[in-house]
Amino acid sequence: MAGPAARRQSVGVNVGGVMVGGGAPVVVQSMTNTDTADIDATVRQVMQLARAGSEIVRITVDRDESAAAVPIIRDRLASMGYDVPLVGDFHYIGHKLLTDHPACAEALAKYRINPGNVGFKAKRDTQFATLIEIANRYDKPVRIGVNWGSLDEELLTRLMDENAASDTPISAAAVQREAIIQSALLSAQRAEELGMGRDKILLSTKVSDVQHLIAVYQDLAARCDYALHLGLTEAGMGSKGIVASSAALGILLQQGIGDTIRISLTPEPGGDRTTEVKVAQELLQTMGFRQFLPVVAACPGCGRTTSTTFQTLAKDIQDHLNTSMPEWRERYPGVETLSVAVMGCIVNGPGESKHANIGISLPGTGETPAAPVFVDGQKVATLRGADVADQFKTMVADYIERKFGSGEQDAAE
Ligand code: SF4
């Protein structure tokens, strides 16, 4: 399948058994929004995220109670068969929490360190060193995660002053990007000086503006070979957050930049946290980098579809595929490569259906009430009657059994 022209070479990092970078497929990760000290709620949400397909889950570790909860959460997840790596998100007092809670340091698969929030002035160096020494002791990787909302002010001020005194000053935005990149690279260099291997270091440089994000990661990617975590920070809610994240990350991924991604969506109140995982998967899948779920191609409908039959069928089929996938993944290896088309009329219906593994072209307004079905490009049946949807679902199930069942599938093609 098509992908980026050339994937950027990065040093691979093993995060609790999940390879990030070094040529490994781009990894999907997410973050809980529960109070980590609330063990039940956090376990429940990590399970939801892992079931949705998050391959790494980050949790907040902000105080003693949450640090104490981490090993219990880890054990409880393991007892239920969830071995998804947990990443601890530390700000301000990470050095103290990891020192005071060795079981937390051991249970986590990676520590996220924000160089802008490690400490100030003289304390910054010693507290950063403590974090790295603990990571070295427990053989854990770290993500040095710079965020422009908490950028190292001393570094930014120094670069701004140098720029103001320069004969060829650059824009304030460019200075800010430089400060973000330098914060990440100088921290990584310091971590290496403290004995950390390059295969234990990931970097991220998150901003909330799409063009700045693209520029900052392009520059960072050209200046180092550390594995990179991509994310548009504070992406926002709903379609705005999805579009902004997809635009920014899609461009970078297409350029071969990025080893792991997170879509930082703000959920609706009471909304589903797993949406960020689904969006990340759909982004990678729609660009042809990875495959997670069978794809349903459906036309948008128009004046030729005055009934909702085909919308209902498209949704039915997509829901059926999504809910069946946990079981099918085991039973039908390669089923995630399946493509299904549900089309609204004769204009593009037969043509699009022929491109899918199995497709149906429903009758548009004024057409004969018959729905041709195509399998691997060939018309195999014409469905009629009120139960066309059920007939088609049965045909999809039969196709999956035939193509992906009993190890006879040729899904890797
Ligand atoms: S395939 Fe037919 S119903 Fe669907 S958008 Fe095209 S013309 Fe309209």
Side-chain angles (χ1 to χ4, degrees), residues 298-305 310 343-349 364 367:
C299 76
C302 66
R304 291 173 180 270
T305 50
F310 95 95
M343 298 294 293
C345 86
I346 199 170
V347 173
N348 290 322
E367 291 178 41

Side-chain angles (χ1 to χ4, degrees), residues 221-306:
R223 288 164 65 174
C224 71
D225 64 356
Y226 296 110
L228 299 184
H229 167 106
L230 299 188
L232 181 78
T233 193
E234 281 87 57
M237 299 182 84
S239 60
K240 184 266 172 190
I242 292 171
V243 170
S245 292
S246 301
L249 272 53
I251 287 169
L252 290 166
L253 290 166
Q254 185 64 21
Q255 293 172 356
I257 297 169
D259 301 295
T260 175
I261 64 171
R262 180 191 173 209
I263 307 290
S264 301
L265 291 181
T266 309
E268 302 285 339
D272 187 348
R273 190 67 170 178
T274 60
T275 304
E276 67 174 62
V277 178
K278 291 178 194 138
V279 173
Q281 289 184 327
E282 282 173 16
L283 173 62
L284 292 173
Q285 177 149 344
T286 204
M287 295 190 71
F289 300 138
R290 290 191 65 184
Q291 288 184 297
F292 300 95
L293 287 171
V295 172
V296 177
C299 76
C302 66
R304 291 173 180 270
T305 50
T306 47

Side-chain angles (χ1 to χ4, degrees), residues 24 55 73 89 123-124 131 134 142-143 169 176 184 194 206 217 236 244 333 340 343 346 374 382 397 403:
E55 294 158 310
I73 291 167
D89 195 60
K123 281 187 176 173
R124 185 183 53 214
L131 285 162
I134 293 172
V142 299
R143 168 159 69 93
Q176 190 174 44
L194 291 162
K206 295 190 182 182
Y217 269 99
V340 182
M343 298 294 293
I346 199 170
F374 298 81
T382 301
K403 176 142 178 151

Side-chain angles (χ1 to χ4, degrees), residues 135-402:
N136 286 340
R137 191 183 318 148
Y138 290 95
D139 197 25
K140 306 291 183 182
V142 299
R143 168 159 69 93
I144 295 170
V146 181
N147 189 305
W148 75 349
S150 47
L151 183 57
D152 179 340
E153 285 299 327
E154 288 175 46
L155 175 62
L156 179 61
T157 304
R158 179 168 61 76
L159 292 181
M160 286 288 188
D161 290 346
E162 286 173 8
N163 187 55
S166 166
D167 291 338
T168 52
I170 55 177
S171 69
V175 175
Q176 190 174 44
R177 288 201 297 271
E178 179 62 22
I180 292 167
I181 291 168
Q182 282 202 23
S183 179
L185 291 178
L186 290 171
S187 300
Q189 185 186 328
R190 182 76 188 118
E192 286 200 58
E193 287 165 3
L194 291 162
M196 179 163 271
R198 297 176 76 72
D199 64 342
K200 296 285 183 207
I201 300 173
L202 289 113
L203 300 184
S204 66
T205 48
K206 295 190 182 182
V207 304
S208 60
D209 177 274
V210 170
Q211 295 297 347
H212 279 309
L213 189 91
I214 294 167
V216 84
Y217 269 99
Q218 285 173 330
D219 200 354
L220 177 67
R223 288 164 65 174
C224 71
D225 64 356
Y226 296 110
L228 299 184
H229 167 106
L230 299 188
L232 181 78
T233 193
E234 281 87 57
M237 299 182 84
S239 60
K240 184 266 172 190
I242 292 171
V243 170
S245 292
S246 301
L249 272 53
I251 287 169
L252 290 166
L253 290 166
Q254 185 64 21
Q255 293 172 356
I257 297 169
D259 301 295
T260 175
I261 64 171
R262 180 191 173 209
I263 307 290
S264 301
L265 291 181
T266 309
E268 302 285 339
D272 187 348
R273 190 67 170 178
T274 60
T275 304
E276 67 174 62
V277 178
K278 291 178 194 138
V279 173
Q281 289 184 327
E282 282 173 16
L283 173 62
L284 292 173
Q285 177 149 344
T286 204
M287 295 190 71
F289 300 138
R290 290 191 65 184
Q291 288 184 297
F292 300 95
L293 287 171
V295 172
V296 177
C299 76
C302 66
R304 291 173 180 270
T305 50
T306 47
S307 84
T308 56
T309 309
F310 95 95
Q311 291 158 294
T312 307
L313 180 56
K315 183 169 184 332
D316 257 25
I317 292 287
Q318 185 72 72
D319 290 350
H320 181 54
L321 295 173
N322 289 351
T323 53
S324 304
M325 271 309 283
E327 184 204 331
W328 285 356
R329 236 180 238 120
E330 305 290 321
R331 203 160 136 207
Y332 302 117
V335 70
E336 65 276 6
T337 63
L338 177 78
S339 60
V340 182
V342 179
M343 298 294 293
C345 86
I346 199 170
V347 173
N348 290 322
E352 189 64 42
S353 298
K354 284 180 191 167
H355 290 303
N357 290 130
I358 178 163
I360 186 167
S361 178
L362 290 160
T365 309
E367 291 178 41
T368 309
V373 174
F374 298 81
V375 169
D376 293 330
Q378 302 298 321
K379 183 176 165 187
V380 298
T382 301
L383 305 182
R384 291 184 174 82
D387 62 343
V388 160
D390 288 338
Q391 291 180 57
F392 183 62
K393 276 196 267 186
T394 302
M395 291 186 74
V396 172
D398 290 347
Y399 181 86
I400 289 171
E401 179 64 45
R402 236 179 17 256

